[in-house]
Amino acid sequence: QVQLVESGGGLVEAGGSLRLSCAASVRAFGAFAWGWFRQAPGKEREFVAAIDLSGRNTLYIDSVKGRFTISRDNLRNTVSLRMNNLKPDDTGVYYCAPTSGRAVRDGFASWGQGTQVTVAS
């Protein structure tokens, strides 16, 4: 059973920063790549960033490159997303999930409640 709890969202002005955190209650956290996804109002959930098992390799969508940084702590079973220079288009509910490349890992369905990020222009 996987339990994910996302936190750290909020309301910020454009140009501001937030740090999201995901606490994962799951066996063998370190055996999975992890990622962040977001869902804007009226849109489908999309991939944002991912980090591999070692923490040394990362993937980002083009629109967040240079602004967002994903990291993981295998001792604390957490994955974080540092978001700088936020833009209104970054608004949405952010979720973490185990990943395979830029996709959710096959068979995963235990989404957390997500954390709301709202960027005011």
Side-chain angles (χ1 to χ4, degrees), residues 67-80:
R67 300 189 297 121
F68 290 13
T69 303
I70 188 171
S71 60
R72 65 187 293 162
D73 185 334
N74 288 343
L75 293 179
R76 293 182 172 83
N77 285 14
T78 59
V79 57
S80 299

Side-chain angles (χ1 to χ4, degrees), residues 6-10 18-21 83 115-117:
E6 298 93 348
S7 62
L18 286 171
R19 183 181 178 88
L20 307 184
S21 183
M83 306 186 296
T115 186
Q116 175 71 47
V117 173

Side-chain angles (χ1 to χ4, degrees), residues 98-100 103-109:
T99 57
S100 177
V104 177
R105 185 179 176 88
D106 283 347
F108 173 77

